[in-house]
Amino acid sequence: EAHMAEPPLDLSLKNDAGGWAARLGGQIMPGGTLRLTRAGAVEALDGYAAGAWWVQDVAAGLPARLLGDVAGQSIIEIGAAPGGKTAQLAQAGAHVLALDRSPARLARLRQNLARLGLTAEIIEADGLTWRPDALADGVLLDAPCSATGTIRRHPEIPWRRRARDVADLAEKQAPLLAAALKMVKPGGLVVYAVCSLEPAEGPELIDKFLRQSENTERVALGENEIAGLAEALTAAGDLRTLPCHLAAQGGMDGFYAARLRRTC
């Protein structure tokens, strides 16, 4: 039912949330996201040309927060384009290595960062095979997935996806996660995130990975780290948002994220 409702427009702000809420007539959501209803063309909104904000669902803004205070840290983002999470990390003061294998998507990332006045080291490469010159403090893996958590924004997904796609994607996600752990320093964090509602791409994949790994542990999340959204905190300490969460305020995309630590 939540997927059938028209989604609002969510903006991540660089600063002055209250001021922009007044100017654009929006509602401040948990975590500081500004939500607009029937806003019209994005490019025509006040603040777009000035790079004051970027479009990002309130749920999509949560995974990057799980890396904690990243100011001054080296953070690798795998699957970075089109750049919403890259912008978050850069705005927070991280040195971001934004990795994606699609030239077209990277071109869009560059455009977005230029408009926002933010910088990142952009790398065209496959996360399975690329390795950094120096191990990073943290990695955000925005893994390719079935995107079933975003059907309300992309109604073509149920028509394009096949039942076997979930299993096929899970087979690609696990090796990417293993690669991400090799990019981070011992003691460093890796956040695995997918905009999927499917257990095989989320908790089942993480549980299986942890059973088979000898140098990885789960770092449970606290309610305060996910903007106070208690309903999105799983028993294992992971993030799982559903389209019906925050229903009275217009819902949110479905996301799953787990925070892992490389132990040695």
Side-chain angles (χ1 to χ4, degrees), residues 57-82:
D57 186 84
V58 63
L62 296 175
R65 297 164 61 105
L66 308 184
L67 288 168
D69 183 2
V70 298
Q73 293 190 359
S74 172
I75 304 295
I76 297 170
E77 183 185 1
I78 303 173

Side-chain angles (χ1 to χ4, degrees), residues 24 46 68 120 161 180 194 199 203 257:
L24 295 173
D46 189 10
R161 288 296 182 193
V194 286

Side-chain angles (χ1 to χ4, degrees), residues 67 73-78 80 89 95-99 123 130-141 180 183-184 189:
L67 288 168
Q73 293 190 359
S74 172
I75 304 295
I76 297 170
E77 183 185 1
I78 303 173
L89 294 167
H95 171 68
V96 187
L97 287 78
L99 185 74
I123 302 167
W130 178 86
R131 294 294 180 269
D133 294 332
L135 295 179
D137 296 299
V139 176
L140 175 58
L141 170 56
M183 300 180 193
V184 72
L189 298 175

Side-chain angles (χ1 to χ4, degrees), residues 6 9 21 58 102 121 126 149 153 156 158 165 175 202 217 238 245 254:
E6 181 180 351
L9 178 69
V58 63
S102 168
E121 184 177 342
D126 190 329
R153 299 189 185 279
E156 76 280 3
D165 286 347
E217 64 182 6
D238 299 336
H245 289 165

Side-chain angles (χ1 to χ4, degrees), residues 66 189-191 217-221 225 238 257-261:
L66 308 184
L189 298 175
V190 171
V191 171
E217 64 182 6
R218 175 188 265 118
V219 182
L221 308 176
E225 296 180 278
D238 299 336
R259 182 171 59 189
L260 308 176
R261 178 184 287 122

